[in-house]
Amino acid sequence: MTTAFIFLVLVGLLLVGMPVSIALGLTVLTVLFTLTDAPLSAVALKLFTGIEHFELMCVPFFIVAGNFMTHGGVARRMIRFATSMVGHWPGGLGLAAVVACAIFAALSGSSPATVVAIGSIMIPAMVARGYPKSFSAGVVASSGALGILIPPSIVMVLYSVATSGMAVVGADGKRIHAASVDDLFMAGVVPGLVLAALLALTTVWLAWRRGYPATARQPWSERLAAFVDCFWGLALIVIVMGGIYGGVFTPTEAAAVSAVYAFVVAVFIYRDLPLSAVPRVLLQSASMSAMLLYIITNAVLFTFLLTHEQIPQAMADWLIHQGFGPITFLLVVNVILLAAGCIMEPASVTLILAPILFPVAARLGIDPVHFGIIMVVNMEIGMITPPVGLNLYVASGISRLGLMTMSHAVVPWLCTMVAFLMVVTFWPDLSLALPRWLGML
């Protein structure tokens, strides 16, 4: 009864247009005042302690680094390098957009930021070369979703935080703990590269079938010059991932290093961002960070309520008693996450559903890292599914196409991503092979 009431209140508030963060908070207060005996003092305590996770500090740092890279001319150099390498293939500029999005995703950790940085340059350039505007916007909106799968990823951090402190007894009697941020980062590398390759193949096939133009093959001197020009941006990938795996610093420390490095590159090396514009970039980053942290705080309250009422444990027992095995459970989870991704943005979906679904997955013997990657891929798809696909709105603003046109434009890549989701879901080694080989699991 309590479970049904909690979700009815939450869904009702969301349906009337209430912001997710406020809907979560009001749901918690409503249930605390009416149905539970939980101390109200816990609300005030959780509001302050909810964001006291050390891992959460990397969220604002990665946002700052991504904004410096977006405004600092890094995207333009990435596009030049990608175009010089693959522009002569069928649909060369579209393929270059996929490659540029994949590279920039490893710098920003954010899908909308990737679409803004790459799309604002590539979409007008592709239209000027004779590509349809819908194709140009579709390939950038879809490829921009790589921003939350290729590490570093803010959504991976939120999944780790949402499930932290949850230790579940698995089917074999062993205690299963939540996935760490560095494990998730390494687990996202191979799936991210595979999905980027599949999106690139989809782009090439569409361009070949429709007869879209390609650019002239660039000499190796131009390719080398383009690589040297974007070297300082590419070096950030090596610094972050190499530093984490090499034990030089934690993911949070890596985020701080990346923020300082991005500032130095944008302002003093590339000099595309004047010092006078730095306060504006910092203010924009602070605004995005505050929005995310406010959602996180209320989501922690919601998780506290679920835990106090033992709802995740009850749902796990019910599903297991219904005879749900790992395969059936993962199919149901994908349907739930895909539906949620259509109506909420990834941070909210992750913070709300991860604490509920993680204990069930653990009880069924599903690896926490593998389950985290499944959630991230679902959130990727949610970025390009209406009515709340953030990438659709960003690409629509750049291309001046309507939401319905954008929704139709991304269909070929959306089908590719759904097929890839099935592969990730039922082939755990795609996600776990690299962390295991590195001795992290």
Side-chain angles (χ1 to χ4, degrees):
M1 179 65 183
T2 303
T3 303
F5 181 76
I6 290 173
F7 287 102
L8 281 174
V9 172
L10 178 60
V11 172
L13 292 173
L14 292 174
L15 288 177
V16 299
M18 187 80 67
V20 174
S21 55
I22 298 177
L24 288 170
L26 286 179
T27 300
V28 171
L29 292 176
T30 301
V31 175
L32 287 178
F33 275 113
T34 57
L35 295 179
T36 74
D37 56 356
L40 295 180
S41 59
V43 175
L45 181 63
K46 285 293 178 181
L47 282 173
F48 285 95
T49 62
I51 57 175
E52 284 186 346
H53 294 277
F54 182 68
E55 296 88 351
L56 274 181
M57 291 178 63
C58 67
V59 173
F61 284 129
F62 277 133
I63 290 175
V64 171
N67 281 336
F68 275 128
M69 288 294 181
T70 300
H71 294 88
V74 177
R76 175 169 50 81
R77 291 172 170 83
M78 297 291 182
I79 290 170
R80 178 191 173 191
F81 174 63
T83 304
S84 70
M85 297 299 295
V86 300
H88 57 281
W89 289 24
L93 286 183
L95 183 57
V98 177
V99 174
C101 284
I103 297 174
F104 197 83
L107 303 177
S108 68
S110 167
S111 286
T114 303
V115 176
V116 169
I118 304 301
S120 59
I121 300 173
M122 285 302 296
I123 293 176
M126 292 174 69
V127 172
R129 289 296 301 270
Y131 290 80
K133 186 180 290 187
S134 59
F135 176 87
S136 307
V139 67
V140 173
S142 305
S143 303
L146 292 167
I148 60 175
L149 180 58
I150 297 178
S153 165
I154 293 174
V155 174
M156 290 180 185
V157 175
L158 297 181
Y159 170 80
S160 178
V161 170
T163 57
S164 64
M166 303 181 73
V168 183
V169 178
D172 56 358
K174 296 181 180 179
R175 293 181 67 82
I176 301 174
H177 296 273
S180 65
V181 175
D182 48 352
D183 287 345
L184 289 166
F185 279 6
M186 286 302 168
V189 172
V190 174
L193 294 176
V194 171
L195 180 56
L198 292 176
L199 294 176
L201 288 174
T202 304
T203 303
V204 171
W205 179 77
L206 288 172
W208 172 78
R209 184 180 178 186
R210 299 173 183 176
Y212 295 155
T215 60
R217 180 186 294 270
Q218 299 296 316
W220 282 104
S221 58
E222 166 59 21
R223 298 179 182 184
L224 179 61
F227 172 76
V228 172
D229 193 31
C230 71
F231 170 79
W232 294 105
L234 294 174
L236 180 58
I237 304 173
V238 179
I239 292 173
V240 171
M241 301 307 297
I244 293 173
Y245 169 63
V248 179
F249 34 64
T250 66
T252 303
E253 293 166 344
V257 170
S258 69
V260 175
Y261 179 86
F263 165 75
V264 172
V265 169
V267 176
F268 298 109
I269 297 179
Y270 288 153
R271 298 182 181 179
D272 287 330
L273 186 70
L275 277 173
S276 59
V278 170
R280 174 173 53 84
V281 174
L282 293 177
L283 184 61
Q284 181 183 2
S285 303
S287 177
M288 295 173 61
S289 301
M291 177 187 68
L292 270 177
L293 292 176
Y294 186 58
I295 295 174
I296 292 168
T297 301
N298 285 281
V300 168
L301 276 180
F302 188 72
T303 303
F304 162 75
L305 175 63
L306 296 177
T307 305
H308 183 270
E309 297 300 315
Q310 296 186 334
I311 290 173
Q313 294 87 340
M315 292 183 66
D317 292 336
W318 182 83
L319 288 172
I320 292 173
H321 290 156
Q322 296 300 313
F324 275 47
I327 294 177
T328 307
F329 170 73
L330 289 175
L331 285 173
V332 172
V333 163
N334 282 333
V335 172
I336 293 173
L337 292 175
L338 289 173
C342 291
I343 58 175
M344 286 190 290
E345 42 83 30
S348 302
V349 176
T350 303
L351 292 167
I352 293 172
L353 293 181
I356 300 173
L357 299 174
F358 167 74
V360 186
R363 288 277 296 275
L364 292 173
I366 299 169
D367 188 276
V369 176
H370 175 219
F371 190 69
I373 298 302
I374 292 173
M375 288 200 69
V376 171
V377 175
N378 274 283
M379 296 304 97
E380 273 194 302
I381 296 173
M383 300 296 291
I384 57 171
T385 51
V388 190
L390 294 180
N391 285 11
L392 294 180
Y393 287 96
V394 175
S396 175
I398 297 172
S399 63
R400 305 297 186 217
L401 293 175
L403 182 61
M404 290 301 296
T405 304
M406 277 301 312
S407 300
H408 183 266
V410 300
V411 167
W413 296 276
L414 177 61
C415 293
T416 300
M417 294 171 74
V418 172
F420 175 74
L421 172 62
M422 293 298 101
V423 175
V424 167
T425 300
F426 299 111
W427 187 18
D429 285 344
L430 184 65
S431 305
L432 303 179
L434 180 59
R436 284 174 178 163
W437 180 67
L438 295 175
M440 302 178 71
L441 299 179

